[in-house]
Short mmCIF file of all heavy atoms in Angstrom, two decimals:
data_model
loop_
_atom_site.label_atom_id
_atom_site.label_comp_id
_atom_site.label_asym_id
_atom_site.label_seq_id
_atom_site.Cartn_x
_atom_site.Cartn_y
_atom_site.Cartn_z
N PRO E 415 136.34 2.45 73.90
CA PRO E 415 136.68 3.77 74.46
C PRO E 415 138.18 4.02 74.51
O PRO E 415 138.97 3.13 74.85
CB PRO E 415 136.09 3.70 75.87
CG PRO E 415 135.00 2.68 75.78
CD PRO E 415 135.48 1.66 74.78
N ASP E 416 138.56 5.23 74.15
CA ASP E 416 139.94 5.68 74.33
C ASP E 416 140.24 5.62 75.84
O ASP E 416 139.46 6.14 76.64
CB ASP E 416 140.02 7.12 73.82
CG ASP E 416 141.40 7.72 73.98
OD1 ASP E 416 142.19 7.25 74.83
OD2 ASP E 416 141.69 8.70 73.26
N PRO E 417 141.33 4.99 76.25
CA PRO E 417 141.64 4.90 77.69
C PRO E 417 141.70 6.27 78.38
O PRO E 417 141.42 6.37 79.57
CB PRO E 417 143.01 4.21 77.71
CG PRO E 417 143.07 3.46 76.42
CD PRO E 417 142.32 4.27 75.42
N GLU E 418 142.03 7.31 77.60
CA GLU E 418 142.07 8.66 78.20
C GLU E 418 140.67 9.25 78.35
O GLU E 418 140.50 10.27 79.01
CB GLU E 418 142.92 9.58 77.33
CG GLU E 418 144.40 9.26 77.37
CD GLU E 418 145.22 10.39 76.79
OE1 GLU E 418 144.98 11.56 77.16
OE2 GLU E 418 146.08 10.09 75.96
N CYS E 419 139.69 8.62 77.72
CA CYS E 419 138.31 9.13 77.77
C CYS E 419 137.47 8.12 78.56
O CYS E 419 136.87 7.21 77.99
CB CYS E 419 137.77 9.31 76.35
SG CYS E 419 138.76 10.45 75.35
N ASP E 420 137.46 8.28 79.88
CA ASP E 420 136.90 7.27 80.76
C ASP E 420 135.65 7.75 81.52
O ASP E 420 135.34 7.26 82.60
CB ASP E 420 137.96 6.79 81.76
CG ASP E 420 138.51 7.94 82.59
OD1 ASP E 420 138.21 9.10 82.27
OD2 ASP E 420 139.23 7.67 83.57
N LEU E 421 134.93 8.72 80.93
CA LEU E 421 133.71 9.20 81.58
C LEU E 421 132.49 8.51 80.97
O LEU E 421 132.62 7.63 80.11
CB LEU E 421 133.62 10.73 81.41
CG LEU E 421 134.81 11.51 82.00
CD1 LEU E 421 134.66 13.01 81.73
CD2 LEU E 421 134.98 11.24 83.48
N ASP E 422 131.30 8.89 81.42
CA ASP E 422 130.07 8.26 80.95
C ASP E 422 129.56 9.01 79.72
O ASP E 422 128.89 10.03 79.83
CB ASP E 422 129.02 8.29 82.06
CG ASP E 422 127.68 7.74 81.60
OD1 ASP E 422 127.61 7.17 80.48
OD2 ASP E 422 126.70 7.88 82.35
N TYR E 423 129.86 8.47 78.52
CA TYR E 423 129.49 9.14 77.27
C TYR E 423 128.20 8.57 76.66
O TYR E 423 127.94 8.75 75.49
CB TYR E 423 130.64 9.02 76.26
CG TYR E 423 131.96 9.53 76.79
CD1 TYR E 423 132.93 8.65 77.25
CD2 TYR E 423 132.23 10.90 76.84
CE1 TYR E 423 134.14 9.11 77.75
CE2 TYR E 423 133.44 11.37 77.34
CZ TYR E 423 134.39 10.46 77.79
OH TYR E 423 135.58 10.93 78.28
N VAL E 424 127.42 7.86 77.44
CA VAL E 424 126.11 7.33 77.01
C VAL E 424 126.24 6.54 75.69
O VAL E 424 125.65 6.90 74.67
CB VAL E 424 125.05 8.45 76.88
CG1 VAL E 424 123.64 7.87 76.77
CG2 VAL E 424 125.12 9.41 78.04
N PRO E 425 126.97 5.44 75.71
CA PRO E 425 127.25 4.73 74.45
C PRO E 425 126.18 3.75 74.01
O PRO E 425 126.22 3.26 72.87
CB PRO E 425 128.55 3.99 74.77
CG PRO E 425 128.46 3.71 76.23
CD PRO E 425 127.72 4.87 76.84
N GLU E 426 125.21 3.42 74.89
CA GLU E 426 124.39 2.24 74.60
C GLU E 426 122.91 2.54 74.37
O GLU E 426 122.04 1.74 74.69
CB GLU E 426 124.53 1.23 75.74
CG GLU E 426 125.96 0.69 75.85
CD GLU E 426 126.13 -0.27 76.98
OE1 GLU E 426 125.22 -0.31 77.84
OE2 GLU E 426 127.16 -0.95 77.03
N GLY E 427 122.59 3.66 73.81
CA GLY E 427 121.19 3.95 73.50
C GLY E 427 120.68 5.15 74.28
O GLY E 427 121.27 5.57 75.27
N THR E 428 119.57 5.71 73.79
CA THR E 428 118.98 6.88 74.44
C THR E 428 118.65 6.56 75.90
O THR E 428 118.06 5.52 76.19
CB THR E 428 117.71 7.31 73.69
OG1 THR E 428 118.08 7.76 72.39
CG2 THR E 428 117.00 8.44 74.42
N ARG E 429 119.04 7.46 76.77
CA ARG E 429 118.83 7.25 78.21
C ARG E 429 117.70 8.16 78.69
O ARG E 429 117.72 9.38 78.43
CB ARG E 429 120.12 7.57 78.96
CG ARG E 429 120.03 7.38 80.47
CD ARG E 429 121.36 7.69 81.12
NE ARG E 429 122.42 6.80 80.66
CZ ARG E 429 123.72 6.99 80.92
NH1 ARG E 429 124.09 8.03 81.63
NH2 ARG E 429 124.62 6.14 80.47
N GLU E 430 116.76 7.61 79.39
CA GLU E 430 115.69 8.43 79.98
C GLU E 430 116.13 8.83 81.37
O GLU E 430 116.38 7.98 82.23
CB GLU E 430 114.38 7.65 79.99
CG GLU E 430 113.92 7.29 78.59
CD GLU E 430 112.43 7.12 78.48
OE1 GLU E 430 111.73 7.33 79.48
OE2 GLU E 430 111.95 6.78 77.37
N GLN E 431 116.25 10.11 81.59
CA GLN E 431 116.77 10.63 82.86
C GLN E 431 116.31 12.08 83.04
O GLN E 431 116.39 12.88 82.10
CB GLN E 431 118.31 10.58 82.83
CG GLN E 431 118.98 11.20 84.04
CD GLN E 431 120.50 11.27 83.85
OE1 GLN E 431 121.12 10.37 83.30
NE2 GLN E 431 121.11 12.35 84.31
N ARG E 432 115.82 12.41 84.20
CA ARG E 432 115.49 13.81 84.48
C ARG E 432 116.78 14.62 84.49
O ARG E 432 117.74 14.25 85.18
CB ARG E 432 114.77 13.94 85.81
CG ARG E 432 114.40 15.38 86.17
CD ARG E 432 113.80 15.45 87.57
NE ARG E 432 113.63 16.82 88.02
CZ ARG E 432 112.54 17.55 87.83
NH1 ARG E 432 111.50 17.02 87.22
NH2 ARG E 432 112.45 18.79 88.26
N VAL E 433 116.80 15.68 83.72
CA VAL E 433 117.98 16.55 83.66
C VAL E 433 117.54 17.95 84.09
O VAL E 433 116.61 18.52 83.52
CB VAL E 433 118.56 16.59 82.23
CG1 VAL E 433 119.71 17.58 82.14
CG2 VAL E 433 119.03 15.20 81.81
N ASN E 434 118.21 18.49 85.09
CA ASN E 434 117.89 19.84 85.57
C ASN E 434 118.77 20.91 84.94
O ASN E 434 118.32 22.03 84.69
CB ASN E 434 118.01 19.89 87.09
CG ASN E 434 116.96 19.04 87.78
OD1 ASN E 434 115.78 19.08 87.42
ND2 ASN E 434 117.39 18.24 88.75
N TYR E 435 120.04 20.58 84.71
CA TYR E 435 120.97 21.53 84.10
C TYR E 435 121.76 20.83 83.00
O TYR E 435 122.33 19.75 83.24
CB TYR E 435 121.96 22.08 85.13
CG TYR E 435 121.33 22.98 86.17
CD1 TYR E 435 120.95 22.47 87.41
CD2 TYR E 435 121.12 24.33 85.91
CE1 TYR E 435 120.37 23.29 88.37
CE2 TYR E 435 120.54 25.16 86.87
CZ TYR E 435 120.17 24.64 88.09
OH TYR E 435 119.60 25.46 89.03
N ALA E 436 121.81 21.43 81.82
CA ALA E 436 122.55 20.87 80.69
C ALA E 436 123.54 21.92 80.18
O ALA E 436 123.16 23.06 79.88
CB ALA E 436 121.61 20.46 79.57
N LEU E 437 124.80 21.51 80.11
CA LEU E 437 125.87 22.38 79.61
C LEU E 437 126.16 21.98 78.16
O LEU E 437 126.28 20.78 77.86
CB LEU E 437 127.12 22.18 80.47
CG LEU E 437 128.29 23.14 80.30
CD1 LEU E 437 127.93 24.55 80.75
CD2 LEU E 437 129.49 22.63 81.10
N CYS E 438 126.27 22.96 77.27
CA CYS E 438 126.54 22.68 75.85
C CYS E 438 127.88 23.31 75.48
O CYS E 438 128.05 24.53 75.61
CB CYS E 438 125.41 23.23 74.98
SG CYS E 438 125.57 22.79 73.24
N ASN E 439 128.83 22.49 75.01
CA ASN E 439 130.20 22.94 74.74
C ASN E 439 130.47 23.13 73.25
O ASN E 439 130.07 22.29 72.44
CB ASN E 439 131.21 21.90 75.25
CG ASN E 439 131.32 21.86 76.75
OD1 ASN E 439 130.88 22.78 77.44
ND2 ASN E 439 131.93 20.81 77.27
N SER E 440 131.20 24.18 72.92
CA SER E 440 131.69 24.38 71.55
C SER E 440 133.09 24.99 71.61
O SER E 440 133.32 25.97 72.34
CB SER E 440 130.78 25.33 70.77
OG SER E 440 129.52 24.76 70.56
N PHE E 441 134.00 24.42 70.81
CA PHE E 441 135.39 24.90 70.80
C PHE E 441 135.86 25.02 69.35
O PHE E 441 135.56 24.15 68.53
CB PHE E 441 136.28 23.92 71.56
CG PHE E 441 135.73 23.52 72.91
CD1 PHE E 441 135.51 22.19 73.22
CD2 PHE E 441 135.42 24.48 73.87
CE1 PHE E 441 134.99 21.80 74.45
CE2 PHE E 441 134.89 24.11 75.10
CZ PHE E 441 134.68 22.77 75.40
N GLY E 442 136.63 26.08 69.05
CA GLY E 442 136.99 26.30 67.65
C GLY E 442 138.45 26.62 67.42
O GLY E 442 139.19 26.97 68.36
N PHE E 443 138.88 26.48 66.15
CA PHE E 443 140.23 26.87 65.76
C PHE E 443 140.47 28.33 66.18
O PHE E 443 139.57 29.16 66.16
CB PHE E 443 140.40 26.76 64.25
CG PHE E 443 140.56 25.34 63.74
CD1 PHE E 443 140.53 25.08 62.37
CD2 PHE E 443 140.75 24.27 64.60
CE1 PHE E 443 140.69 23.78 61.89
CE2 PHE E 443 140.91 22.97 64.12
CZ PHE E 443 140.88 22.73 62.76
N GLY E 444 141.72 28.61 66.47
CA GLY E 444 142.06 29.92 67.00
C GLY E 444 141.99 29.94 68.51
O GLY E 444 142.23 30.97 69.13
N GLY E 445 141.61 28.80 69.10
CA GLY E 445 141.52 28.72 70.55
C GLY E 445 140.36 29.50 71.11
O GLY E 445 140.47 30.21 72.11
N THR E 446 139.18 29.36 70.46
CA THR E 446 138.00 30.11 70.89
C THR E 446 136.99 29.14 71.47
O THR E 446 136.64 28.13 70.84
CB THR E 446 137.41 30.92 69.71
OG1 THR E 446 136.26 31.62 70.15
CG2 THR E 446 137.06 30.04 68.53
N ASN E 447 136.53 29.38 72.68
CA ASN E 447 135.69 28.44 73.43
C ASN E 447 134.40 29.13 73.89
O ASN E 447 134.44 30.28 74.34
CB ASN E 447 136.44 27.92 74.65
CG ASN E 447 137.82 27.42 74.30
OD1 ASN E 447 137.97 26.49 73.51
ND2 ASN E 447 138.86 28.04 74.87
N ALA E 448 133.29 28.40 73.82
CA ALA E 448 132.01 28.96 74.27
C ALA E 448 131.14 27.84 74.85
O ALA E 448 131.10 26.74 74.30
CB ALA E 448 131.27 29.63 73.11
N CYS E 449 130.47 28.13 75.94
CA CYS E 449 129.61 27.15 76.60
C CYS E 449 128.32 27.82 77.05
O CYS E 449 128.34 28.93 77.59
CB CYS E 449 130.30 26.56 77.84
SG CYS E 449 131.88 25.77 77.48
N MET E 450 127.20 27.14 76.81
CA MET E 450 125.88 27.61 77.27
C MET E 450 125.40 26.69 78.37
O MET E 450 125.57 25.47 78.30
CB MET E 450 124.86 27.58 76.12
CG MET E 450 125.14 28.51 74.96
SD MET E 450 125.31 30.25 75.38
CE MET E 450 123.81 30.54 76.33
N LEU E 451 124.74 27.27 79.36
CA LEU E 451 124.15 26.47 80.43
C LEU E 451 122.64 26.69 80.43
O LEU E 451 122.16 27.82 80.62
CB LEU E 451 124.74 26.85 81.78
CG LEU E 451 124.24 26.04 82.98
CD1 LEU E 451 124.46 24.54 82.79
CD2 LEU E 451 124.92 26.50 84.27
#
Side-chain angles (χ1 to χ4, degrees):
D416 179 338
E418 290 194 48
C419 301
D420 58 350
L421 302 178
D422 176 10
Y423 305 101
V424 194
E426 295 178 346
T428 294
R429 180 179 299 170
E430 297 207 4
Q431 175 187 322
R432 179 185 171 91
V433 175
N434 293 315
Y435 291 96
L437 190 66
C438 186
N439 287 344
S440 294
F441 312 123
F443 284 171
T446 179
N447 310 300
C449 302
M450 296 303 308
L451 182 57

